[in-house]
């Protein structure tokens, strides 16, 4: 592609390295997560994570009046393990919620969708598979959308501060035919807009990452439901912490065989490429779409609140395996501190009513 058309922006390079059919890192089936893979996630810790998510989903469903027909939409479901943990927990905790539940998985990669169908065979009839949210039917109109470690896997641009302006780090070819960085001034208006929000006190050579397209990513998810809640769990920060002037090399990492490295131009397709999530940018995109960003919390605090009933049940008869999972998921030195959770809600009917009200008031 580079030999034919010139340098690629990093979004295109990363999308190709991770998702190109046949060749991309994730396109070759589910072998990345877990002990024999390249990295662990909260899902690898054990089924308690899915059970606690089920508690959150059921609380939200009850608050919405326990509608018979509702839907959970998962993105980045990998091999379907988390979906199976959640469906198992909902069946046990509140079996009536299963009656009208559609669990939809949006998965563009055929290899991963095939693995999900095998894992979820015992929930056949409950689970629906689509390759993009736009394919979902018009109802049920109420639901929950979520993803664990999905946003960090969305392609991003790499930029560097020259002291006077932001430069975009594109990928070209060196004299030996290997990949190399090519720096050019940022010109795309949405990048200029996104970078304008980062502040100005950066040292020369400060390199970081930006995802200016969260609104485009969220829009089809918001549009397929009249009212709902989105929950994004991932490593990342609010903007002042992410773009702190001392974080001079950004958060871009590659992962292979549980080893982190920092050069994404080496062995593309053989390793994961990721960067932390700027949760402020996600919240801004939600506001642009008319949604309300709600709670933002560390994963540790969020899960500990959800685990109250489960923790009380441990008294006298402790589930040692479960408690170990709880500790790994919530302890600040494990996954509880660097992982964060952002909840976003929307209700088009209520917004139509309230904008009607303000119209009346204005009149
Ligand atoms: C780091 S893995 C996380 C897997 C799993 N959620 C977990 O926590 O173990 C990221 C996943 O997001 C998927 N992904 C990336 N972009 C996506 C998109 N636009 N829609 C659905 N899945 C996507 C990738 O294919 C990959 O399976």
């Amino acid at each position: 592609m580079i030999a034919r058309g010139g340098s690629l922006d990093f979004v295109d390079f990363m999308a190709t390295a991770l998702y190109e059919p046949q060749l991309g890192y994730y396109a070759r089936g589910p072998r990345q997560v877990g002990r024999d893979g390249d990295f662990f996630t909260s899902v690898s810790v054990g089924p308690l994570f899915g059970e606690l998510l089920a508690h959150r989903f059921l609380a939200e469903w009850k608050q919405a009046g326990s509608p018979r027909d509702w839907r959970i939409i998962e993105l980045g479901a990998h091999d379907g393990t988390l979906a199976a943990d959640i469906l198992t927990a909902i069946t046990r905790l509140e079996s009536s919620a299963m009656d009208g539940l559609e669990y939809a998985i949006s998965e563009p990669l055929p290899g991963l969708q095939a693995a999900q169908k095998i894992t979820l065979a015992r929930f056949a009839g409950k689970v629906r598979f689509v390759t993009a949210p736009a394919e979902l039917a018009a109802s049920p109109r109420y639901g929950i959308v979520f993803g664990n470690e999905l946003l960090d896997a969305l392609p991003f641009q790499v930029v560097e501060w020259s002291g006077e302006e932001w430069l975009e780090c594109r990928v070209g070819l060196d004299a030996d035919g290997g990949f190399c960085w090519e720096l050019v001034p940022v010109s795309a208006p949405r990048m200029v807009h996104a970078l304008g929000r980062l502040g100005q006190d950066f040292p020369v050579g400060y390199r970081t990452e930006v995802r200016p397209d969260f609104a485009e990513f969220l829009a089809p998810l918001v549009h397929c439901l009249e009212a709902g809640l989105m929950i994004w769990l991932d490593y990342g920060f609010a903007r002042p912490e992410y773009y702190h002037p001392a974080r001079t090399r950004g958060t871009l990492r590659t992962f292979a065989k549980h080893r982190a490295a920092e050069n994404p131009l080496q062995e593309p397709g053989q390793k994961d490429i990721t960067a932390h999530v700027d949760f402020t940018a996600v919240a801004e995109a939600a506001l642009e779409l008319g949604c309300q960003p709600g709670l933002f919390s560390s994963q540790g605090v969020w899960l500990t609140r959800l685990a109250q009933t489960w923790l009380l049940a441990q008294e006298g008869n402790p589930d040692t395996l479960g408690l170990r999972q709880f500790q790994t998921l919530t302890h600040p030195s494990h996954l509880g501190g660097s992982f964060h959770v952002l909840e976003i809600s929307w209700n088009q009917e209520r917004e139509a009513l309230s904008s009607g009200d303000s119209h009346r008031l204005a009149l």
Side-chain angles (χ1 to χ4, degrees), residues 23-52:
L23 294 172
Y25 173 75
Y26 281 111
R28 286 176 296 144
R31 50 171 183 78
Q32 303 85 1
V33 184
R35 197 174 297 281
D36 300 327
D38 295 322
F39 52 86
F40 291 115
T41 69
S42 295
V43 184
S44 345
V45 173
L48 182 67
F49 183 60
E51 180 172 335
L52 296 180

Side-chain angles (χ1 to χ4, degrees), residues 19 26 33 39 41-43 74-78 82 106-109 112 148-150 152-154 217 272:
Y19 305 116
Y26 281 111
V33 184
F39 52 86
T41 69
S42 295
V43 184
E74 181 179 0
L75 286 99
H78 191 59
L82 180 56
S106 176
E107 176 55 70
L109 299 173
L112 292 183
N148 185 59
E149 290 203 34
L150 176 279
D152 74 84
L154 297 180
F217 173 74
D272 194 20

Side-chain angles (χ1 to χ4, degrees), residues 55-65 142 144 228-229 345:
H55 275 283
R56 179 68 192 96
F57 296 171
L58 286 170
E60 180 62 24
W61 171 73
K62 284 180 191 160
Q63 200 172 331
Y142 165 78
I144 290 162
L229 178 74
S345 61

